Amino acid sequence: MKPVQGATSYKGPVLICAAKKTDIEQKLTHNYFLSKYQQILADTDNYVEWDDLPFGCAIALVDLTACCLMTQVFIDQQPCL
């Protein structure tokens, strides 16, 4: 993978945090995706209502192994879940 201009060279643990403040656009987007993918989400444990989402806290610890440019070509090459 070739380096991306402006990309980080850091590799290692990264703490992902949820924003503390939200707005109506974010809630509408959440509701849109819930309704669009309701059938898929209903059979999983990934169905979370807006009021049950975590805000203002750490939600994941990940290991950053690479930083790549998110082009449409790259996105199209990714397997569908």
Side-chain angles (χ1 to χ4, degrees):
M1 192 179 317
K2 58 185 213 186
V4 178
Q5 184 176 359
T8 184
S9 60
Y10 173 78
K11 292 181 181 175
V14 175
L15 187 62
I16 308 291
C17 298
K20 187 169 186 171
K21 294 183 179 182
T22 63
D23 61 31
I24 191 65
E25 278 187 48
Q26 291 168 318
K27 186 173 185 177
L28 292 173
T29 301
H30 174 266
N31 290 340
Y32 166 77
F33 280 106
L34 273 186
S35 65
K36 183 173 181 174
Y37 297 106
Q38 188 170 14
Q39 284 301 112
I40 296 170
L41 293 171
D43 295 333
T44 72
D45 61 354
N46 295 324
Y47 188 89
V48 180
E49 295 291 342
W50 179 259
D51 292 333
D52 295 328
L53 289 171
F55 295 109
C57 62
I59 59 170
L61 180 63
V62 299
D63 188 27
L64 182 63
T65 60
C67 188
C68 58
L69 185 61
M70 296 294 291
T71 64
Q72 190 60 51
V73 171
F74 176 81
I75 294 167
D76 292 342
Q77 293 172 344
Q78 304 311 302
C80 294
L81 299 176

